[in-house]
C-alpha cells in the first residue's frame, strides 16, 4: 500500500485555526511546530518503508499534538477529532513508541536546540543568568508486569514505592525552562532484587534486545548511579553547545565528584547547590588549617559572631570560604528565625554574595514547577505500556510537548501554563464540535445535490464565493476531504 496521501497534515490542521483572539493559543502552537525543522533522517536516523500507510514523521507529529486535542494515550486516539486526518488505530502509535531503534535522546536534543535558539535571541534572555538544573522525581506505577519495574525510595512519601526514578536535566534563564535530558532509573536495594520477590521478577515483561539498538543505552542507565548520570548529562549538554553559568542541584547531588567535574570544565561555569546539615553530618570542609563538619563550622562561626541579618530576605546567614574536594568553595548558612534550623548552600563561585546566591538558587524550583505542570497537564510518568522503550518514548514526547508550550507561553504572554493548556483544549474542542456539525451539514448538502442533480462540490463553491465569512468553512471542508 502507498504512503498516506496527507503528507503535511500540520498545514491541514493549522488551516482551521485563525490568527485571532479566539484561536490564538492553538495557532501559536501550530506555528511553532511547523517552524521546527523535522525530517525522518534527522529525527529517527531512518526513513519510512515504501509500503507504510503512515510515515514515521506523521505518527510522531500526531503524538506531539495529543495534549492539544485532549488525547490521553493512543487508546483514545480513534475517538478524537485528530483521527480525521490519520484514520488509524492505536497499534500504529504503540508500535512506533516501542521501536527500540529510535534514539529519543538525539531526537529531543535536535528539536530542543531549535526551540532554545528562539529564546536566546530575546533581549531579556541576555540579561538573565542561564542555569542547568538537575533533579529527580518519582514515576509511581500500579502494575508489576512493567519491564524493569521495581521499588524505589520516594523522598516525597518517605517510603518505598513501586515504579521508576526519573532523573532530569533542565535549563532555565529565570523566565522560561525546558527539559533537555532525562534517564529512567531503578534501585537494586541491599539484596539486589529491586525490592521485588522472585515471582514478581519472573512475571515482569521481558523482550530480547539487540545491543546495537539505541534503547540499550537507556537500559544501561537503569542501574547507573545518579552522580555519574548527572555528569554524563552535563557533558552531553556542553557537547551540544548549551551555554550556562551555573549548575543547580539539591543536597543529594553535592559531592566531591560533581565539584571537581564542574570546576574542570573549560567554559566558565560554577556549581551552586544545597548541602546536608545535621547533628550527624560527616562531610568535612577544610577551614583555617582544620577539618570541620557543617554543624561544627556553624558553631565556630556563631561563637565568633559572624551571623548577619538580611532585611530584604528576612533571614539570618553566615558565610565561610573553605576548601572541599581540593577546590576553594564558599558556604552559606541560612535560617529564617533565631530558633529555626540552619540550611546550607555551597558554590564554587567565591565571588558570589549571599543575596545573589539565594536568588540564583531559587531558580532550581523551576524544575519542581515543571514536574507539577507536566504531571498534571501532560501526564508525565503515567504511561501504562509494559515495554521499557515505550516508557522512554512517552517521557520524551512529554518533554517536547512541555518545551513547546513553554515557548508559546513566553511569546504569547500567558499568565500560567495551566491557562495556556485550558485555552488550547477549548480550541481543539471547538474543532471537534464543528466537525460533527459539518458532518450533518455535509449529509444535508449531499441530499440536496442528489435531489436537484447537482454536484456537492458545486454547492460548496456557490456558498463560499457568495460570502467572505464562509471562507472558513472552505478550510474545514478541505480538512474533511483530506481525511
Amino acid at each position: 500500500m502507498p504512503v498516506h496521501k496527507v503528507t503535511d497534515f500540520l498545514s491541514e490542521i493549522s488551516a482551521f485555526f485563525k490568527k485571532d483572539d479566539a484561536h490564538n493559543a492553538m495557532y501559536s502552537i501550530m506555528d511553532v511546530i511547523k517552524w521546527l525543522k523535522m525530517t525522518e533522517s534527522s529525527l529517527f536516523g531512518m526513513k519510512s518503508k515504501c509500503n507504510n500507510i503512515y510515515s514515521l514523521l506523521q505518527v510522531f507529529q500526531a503524538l506531539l499534538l495529543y495534549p492539544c486535542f485532549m488525547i490521553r494515550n493512543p487508546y483514545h486516539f480513534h475517538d478524537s477529532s485528530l483521527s480525521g486526518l490519520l484514520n488509524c488505530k492505536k497499534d500504529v502509535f504503540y508500535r512506533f513508541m516501542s521501536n527500540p531503534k529510535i534514539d529519543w535522546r538525539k531526537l529531543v536534543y535536535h528539536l530542543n536546540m531549535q526551540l532554545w535558539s528562539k529564546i536566546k535571541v530575546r533581549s531579556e534572555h541576555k540579561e538573565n543568568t542561564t542555569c542547568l538544573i538537575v533533579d529527580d522525581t518519582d514515576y509511581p506505577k500500579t502494575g508489576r508486569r512493567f519491564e524493569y519495574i521495581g521499588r524505589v525510595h520516594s523522598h516525597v512519601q518517605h517510603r518505598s514505592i513501586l515504579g521508576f526514578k526519573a532523573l532530569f536535566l533542565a535549563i532555565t534563564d529565570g523566565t522560561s525552562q525546558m527539559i533537555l535530558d532525562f534517564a529512567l532509573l531503578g534501585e537494586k536495594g541491599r539484596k539486589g532484587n529491586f525490592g521485588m520477590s522472585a515471582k514478581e521478577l519472573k512475571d515482569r515483561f521481558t523482550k530480547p534486545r539487540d545491543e546495537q539498538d539505541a534503547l540499550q543505552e537507556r537500559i544501561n542507565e537503569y542501574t547507573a548511579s545518579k552522580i555519574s548520570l548527572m555528569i554524563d548529562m552535563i557533558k552531553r549538554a556542553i557537547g551540544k553547545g548549551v551555554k550556562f553559568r551555573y549548575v543547580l542541584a539539591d543536597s543529594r547531588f553535592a559531592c566531591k565528584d560533581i565539584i571537581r567535574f564542574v570546576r574542570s570544565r573549560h567554559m566558565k561555569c560554577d556549581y551552586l547547590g544545597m548541602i546536608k546539615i545535621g547533628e550527624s553530618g560527616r562531610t568535612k570542609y577544610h577551614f583555617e588549617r582544620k577539618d570541620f563538619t557543617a554543624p561544627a563550622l556553624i558553631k565556630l562561626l556563631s561563637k565568633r559572631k559572624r551571623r548577619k541579618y538580611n532585611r530584604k530576605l528576612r533571614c539570618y546567614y553566615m558565610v565561610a570560604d573553605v576548601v572541599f574536594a581540593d577546590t576553594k568553595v564558599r558556604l552559606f548558612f541560612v535560617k529564617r528565625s533565631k530558633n529555626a534550623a540552619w540550611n546550607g548552600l555551597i558554590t564554587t563561585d567565591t565571588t558570589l554574595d549571599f543575596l545573589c546566591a539565594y536568588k540564583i538558587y531559587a531558580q532550581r524550583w523551576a524544575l519542581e514547577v515543571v514536574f507539577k505542570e507536566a504531571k498534571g497537564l501532560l501526564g508525565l510518568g503515567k504511561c501504562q505500556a509494559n515495554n521499557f522503550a515505550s516508557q522512554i518514548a512517552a517521557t520524551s514526547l512529554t518533554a517536547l510537548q512541555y518545551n513547546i508550550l513553554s515557548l508559546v507561553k513566553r511569546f504569547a504572554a500567558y499568565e500560567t501554563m495551566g491557562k495556556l493548556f485550558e485555552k488550547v483544549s477549548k480550541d481543539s474542542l471547538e474543532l471537534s464540535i464543528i466537525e460533527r456539525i459539518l458532518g450533518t451539514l455535509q449529509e444535508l448538502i449531499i441530499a440536496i445535490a442528489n435531489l436537484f442533480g447537482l454536484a456537492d462540490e458545486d454547492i460548496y463553491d456557490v456558498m463560499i464565493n457568495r460570502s467572505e465569512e464562509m471562507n472558513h468553512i472552505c478550510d474545514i471542508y478541505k480538512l474533511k476531504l483530506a481525511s
Side-chain angles (χ1 to χ4, degrees):
M1 297 179 70
V3 175
H4 196 268
K5 62 180 180 180
V6 186
T7 57
D8 189 9
F9 75 99
L10 289 179
S11 298
E12 299 290 343
I13 297 174
S14 59
F16 171 81
F17 301 105
K18 295 180 179 179
K19 191 176 182 180
D20 56 20
D21 292 337
H23 301 117
N24 188 50
M26 184 64 86
Y27 183 90
S28 300
I29 291 174
M30 296 304 303
D31 192 45
V32 169
I33 296 178
K34 287 169 61 180
W35 172 81
L36 292 171
K37 296 178 181 179
M38 291 187 283
T39 62
E40 291 187 345
S41 298
S42 61
L43 293 181
F44 316 116
M46 65 184 87
K47 290 188 177 181
S48 302
K49 296 180 180 179
C50 59
N51 61 341
N52 284 1
I53 300 178
Y54 307 103
S55 69
L56 294 173
L57 190 58
Q58 287 175 334
V59 177
F60 170 71
Q61 290 172 339
L63 285 166
L64 210 56
L65 290 171
Y66 267 22
C68 301
F69 290 85
M70 297 174 290
I71 307 172
R72 288 186 297 170
N73 52 53
Y75 182 81
H76 298 91
F77 175 80
H78 191 65
D79 298 327
S80 69
S81 57
L82 195 58
S83 63
L85 287 174
L86 288 179
N87 190 21
C88 58
K89 304 295 184 181
K90 62 182 187 297
D91 291 343
V92 172
F93 299 102
Y94 282 127
R95 193 180 304 116
F96 175 84
M97 294 175 65
S98 63
N99 188 342
K101 298 186 180 298
I102 297 178
D103 189 344
W104 284 98
R105 178 167 281 142
K106 176 184 174 183
L107 185 153
V108 169
Y109 257 114
H110 177 76
L111 298 180
N112 278 346
M113 295 308 295
Q114 296 181 57
L115 295 171
W116 189 247
S117 67
K118 295 202 75 172
I119 291 178
K120 288 195 299 183
V121 298
R122 294 181 69 89
S123 58
E124 67 267 24
H125 167 80
K126 298 175 182 178
E127 299 172 359
N128 298 336
T129 303
T130 302
C131 303
L132 291 183
I133 313 172
V134 180
D135 202 1
D136 58 3
T137 187
D138 300 332
Y139 271 19
K141 302 292 182 182
T142 54
R144 289 175 170 80
R145 297 185 182 275
F146 291 94
E147 188 175 16
Y148 297 111
I149 192 70
R151 293 191 175 276
V152 295
H153 179 74
S154 172
H155 298 283
V156 177
Q157 302 182 31
H158 302 288
R159 64 181 182 87
S160 174
I161 64 170
L162 187 68
F164 301 99
K165 275 285 184 183
L167 182 67
F168 283 87
L169 176 72
I171 188 170
T172 180
D173 64 351
T175 304
S176 300
Q177 45 275 345
M178 290 187 176
I179 299 172
L180 291 180
D181 204 352
F182 73 94
L184 294 188
L185 312 175
E187 296 176 359
K188 285 186 176 181
R190 295 178 181 178
K191 298 181 180 179
N193 60 354
F194 300 95
M196 308 284 281
S197 66
K199 183 179 184 305
E200 288 173 334
L201 290 174
K202 184 180 179 181
D203 291 342
R204 291 192 307 184
F205 175 84
T206 57
K207 189 175 183 178
R209 299 294 184 186
D210 187 348
E211 292 186 358
Q212 302 301 319
D213 290 341
L215 181 65
Q216 190 61 43
E217 180 185 8
R218 301 287 192 165
I219 295 175
N220 295 338
E221 291 174 348
Y222 178 74
T223 53
S225 71
K226 293 179 183 178
I227 300 301
S228 62
L229 287 176
M230 175 182 176
I231 291 174
D232 290 341
M233 286 181 178
I234 298 173
K235 281 182 180 179
R236 199 176 294 116
I238 294 174
K240 295 292 183 179
V242 177
K243 303 295 182 183
F244 59 93
R245 183 64 185 87
Y246 294 97
V247 177
L248 310 179
D250 66 9
S251 58
R252 297 194 296 274
F253 300 93
C255 66
K256 292 182 178 181
D257 292 339
I258 294 296
I259 297 296
R260 291 193 184 108
F261 166 74
V262 174
R263 290 301 294 165
S264 66
R265 299 304 93 191
H266 297 294
M267 61 184 293
K268 187 179 180 181
C269 62
D270 288 286
Y271 180 83
L272 177 60
M274 293 281 288
I275 58 173
K276 293 180 180 179
I277 296 180
E279 294 299 328
S280 60
R282 297 180 181 179
T283 304
K284 292 187 176 181
Y285 307 92
H286 194 71
F287 179 70
E288 295 181 351
R289 300 181 182 181
K290 293 183 180 180
D291 291 335
F292 295 88
T293 61
L297 192 56
I298 289 173
K299 290 180 180 179
L300 179 63
L301 295 174
S302 298
K303 188 177 180 179
R304 294 181 180 182
K305 298 182 179 180
R306 298 275 291 271
R307 187 178 68 182
K308 298 179 181 179
Y309 184 75
N310 187 289
R311 292 183 178 180
K312 192 169 186 178
L313 299 176
R314 296 179 181 179
C315 61
Y316 296 94
Y317 71 96
M318 295 186 294
V319 183
D321 290 333
V322 301
V323 176
F324 179 67
D326 303 321
T327 306
K328 291 182 179 180
V329 298
R330 176 164 287 184
L331 298 180
F332 298 98
F333 301 105
V334 57
K335 64 179 181 178
R336 281 294 174 187
S337 63
K338 291 183 179 181
N339 298 325
W342 287 98
N343 293 309
L345 286 173
I346 185 173
T347 178
T348 55
D349 185 1
T350 55
T351 63
L352 267 185
D353 60 27
F354 170 68
L355 184 60
C356 290
Y358 193 93
K359 288 182 177 179
I360 293 172
Y361 183 74
Q363 295 185 34
R364 191 192 76 81
W365 292 101
L367 188 51
E368 299 290 349
V369 175
V370 171
F371 291 155
K372 182 178 180 180
E373 292 178 335
K375 287 181 178 182
L377 301 176
L378 305 175
L380 177 66
K382 296 180 181 178
C383 176
Q384 294 299 309
N386 288 336
N387 198 314
F388 192 66
S390 299
Q391 296 290 335
I392 298 295
T395 303
S396 301
L397 287 164
T398 303
L400 287 171
Q401 290 160 356
Y402 184 89
N403 293 346
I404 291 171
L405 290 173
S406 180
L407 182 66
V408 172
K409 174 179 174 290
R410 178 156 182 165
F411 280 81
Y414 281 89
E415 294 179 1
T416 63
M417 191 70 75
K419 286 290 184 183
L420 172 60
F421 194 78
E422 180 183 350
K423 186 67 177 65
V424 171
S425 299
K426 288 182 179 179
D427 289 350
S428 61
L429 182 61
E430 181 181 341
L431 174 59
S432 178
I433 293 171
I434 289 180
E435 277 190 337
R436 294 177 185 178
I437 296 173
L438 182 64
T440 304
L441 289 175
Q442 197 168 15
E443 291 179 4
L444 180 61
I445 290 174
I446 291 173
I448 294 173
N450 292 334
L451 182 63
F452 293 98
L454 301 173
D456 55 339
E457 288 85 356
D458 295 335
I459 298 177
Y460 275 115
D461 183 58
V462 172
M463 290 172 59
I464 292 168
N465 289 333
R466 286 189 179 183
S467 173
E468 293 183 0
E469 296 295 327
M470 299 293 287
N471 286 335
H472 197 43
I473 293 182
C474 183
D475 294 332
I476 307 173
Y477 183 58
K478 290 178 181 177
L479 194 69
K480 296 295 292 184
L481 286 179
S483 65

